[in-house]
Amino acid sequence: MSPMRSPSIVPMNNLPRRVRIWEVGPRDGLQNEASIIDTGTKIEFVNRLSDSGLPVIEATSFVRADRIPQLADGTEVMAGISRRSGTRYPVLVPNMKGLDAALAADAHDIAVFASATETFAERNLGRSLSNQMDMFAPVLDRARLDHIPVRGYVSMCFGDPWEGFVDPAKVVDVCVELVERGCSDVSLGDTIGVATPGQVQKLINMLVLARINVDRIGVHFHDTYGQALSNTLAALQSGVSTVDASAGGIGGCPYALSATGNLATEDLVWMLEGLGVETGVDLEKLTATSLWLANYLGRPVQSRVGQALTH
Ligand code: MG
């Protein structure tokens, strides 16, 4: 007896034909790793992900080294990776200093990080909710001049560990402002993984009513409460076609007590492949990459597909 290595393909109605997977493992995943990973391993991780066919790989971040020591080698990572033609390698930048470093490292795509709630804005950004845009405004202005696409991450879109459930109207306000100020995309983060599918569809419908094109909306689910794939399917049914995921499910959420973090990319690919939705990703290569990284980190892979294929 051996594990099944690919799903049976049975499509469902009213789903996008193709989904763009936005791989966040090298940035969102690794930044939550306690032990420092050497630069060569990070570069090999990105290169293996590129080779598995992922269209977008968030490669690193240009934040203050004392805030996130794990990603202090962003410049070396960007210089060391082999950029596959047609693949995007965005980087996270918090401010102008980060943007300068990102541009010097020849980044062509950036992301900024916003909050949907007052408490998280204060704790994570050191700003009030109404002032957080002041932080991004110069970055967005400069990116526009350089024709650099900017993704706006929005944290705590569904629930917040300090404030409880989040009013979707507040999330809409933050997303509309990000788009008006020049973000090309927004990514709706369920940072503590508490959302359920109805909540997801309600928020997406409200964003579309607020005239944010559904092609500009990405979803970023955490599996803390086991809802990440259900929420993804709900988002796809609402017309979303960009989904964030992390190879091997790496990246525990620092704001939730559980270690369970990002939706695992191979679990997402298994579902999409089974639905007949194109991703361009080679599931075998991707899973092998997650197993390789888990081996390096010295612990079992967290994804269900990774576990199924190793037992
Ligand atoms: Mg995440």
Side-chain angles (χ1 to χ4, degrees):
M1 198 178 83
S2 59
M4 292 182 60
R5 305 197 73 82
S6 58
S8 172
I9 298 172
V10 183
M12 277 170 69
N13 290 330
N14 303 318
L15 293 180
R17 193 179 58 79
R18 188 174 181 91
V19 160
R20 174 174 64 170
I21 298 178
W22 195 291
E23 170 64 43
V24 297
R27 197 276 303 166
D28 187 10
L30 294 187
Q31 83 175 23
N32 290 306
E33 282 298 322
S35 60
I36 297 289
I37 293 153
D38 67 278
T39 305
T41 300
K42 291 174 185 166
I43 291 168
E44 185 173 353
F45 183 34
V46 173
N47 288 346
R48 280 173 173 259
L49 294 170
S50 294
D51 190 47
S52 74
L54 286 156
V56 187
I57 302 167
E58 205 159 281
T60 184
S61 120
F62 288 88
V63 297
R64 268 171 42 194
D66 59 330
R67 286 208 72 182
I68 304 183
Q70 182 68 267
L71 301 182
D73 56 358
T75 300
E76 291 78 15
V77 169
M78 288 303 278
I81 59 174
S82 306
R83 299 190 199 192
R84 194 167 177 262
S85 157
T87 305
R88 292 166 61 186
Y89 300 91
V91 299
L92 189 75
V93 303
N95 51 31
M96 284 305 281
K97 200 173 168 212
L99 178 60
D100 287 339
L103 294 175
D106 201 24
H108 302 157
D109 256 289
I110 62 165
V112 298
F113 217 87
S115 172
T117 68
E118 191 68 56
T119 315
F120 191 68
E122 281 164 16
R123 285 183 176 247
N124 196 49
L125 306 171
R127 301 272 173 148
S128 69
L129 192 57
S130 53
N131 286 340
Q132 64 175 343
M133 296 294 164
D134 299 344
M135 203 172 141
F136 314 131
V139 173
L140 292 168
D141 290 347
R142 171 74 190 280
R144 192 182 309 117
L145 285 177
D146 286 10
H147 305 288
I148 288 177
V150 184
R151 173 180 236 214
Y153 279 101
V154 185
S155 288
M156 307 294 178
C157 286
F158 301 95
D160 172 297
W162 300 281
E163 298 186 15
F165 288 104
V166 177
D167 178 358
K170 285 188 178 173
V171 184
V172 171
D173 288 345
V174 172
C175 291
V176 166
E177 192 162 8
L178 285 169
V179 168
E180 282 176 350
R181 289 186 182 240
C183 281
S184 43
D185 299 81
V186 291
S187 171
L188 308 175
D190 182 16
T191 314
I192 54 171
V194 292
T196 50
Q199 237 186 319
V200 170
Q201 293 199 338
K202 182 175 179 183
L203 176 57
I204 294 165
N205 292 342
M206 286 172 69
L207 287 166
V208 170
L209 283 173
R211 297 185 187 282
I212 295 184
N213 190 308
V214 78
D215 291 338
R216 301 174 77 163
I217 301 172
V219 286
H220 185 113
F221 293 124
H222 284 195
D223 209 32
T224 324
Y225 287 75
Q227 307 301 306
L229 270 181
S230 320
N231 288 338
T232 301
L233 185 58
L236 300 180
Q237 287 172 327
S238 294
V240 166
S241 60
T242 298
V243 181
D244 298 5
S246 169
I250 58 166
C253 171
Y255 303 98
L257 296 175
S258 154
T260 319
N262 290 303
L263 169 62
T265 315
E266 53 269 37
D267 294 356
L268 171 64
V269 171
W270 183 281
M271 180 179 80
L272 294 174
E273 213 171 289
L275 289 167
V277 174
E278 287 172 33
T279 64
V281 178
D282 181 321
L283 182 61
E284 288 278 340
K285 283 184 178 178
L286 171 66
T287 307
T289 299
S290 298
L291 293 171
W292 163 83
L293 185 69
N295 187 48
Y296 172 89
L297 295 171
R299 57 167 191 250
V301 71
Q302 286 181 60
S303 69
R304 297 301 177 90
V305 168
Q307 288 170 9
L309 294 184
T310 42
H311 286 300

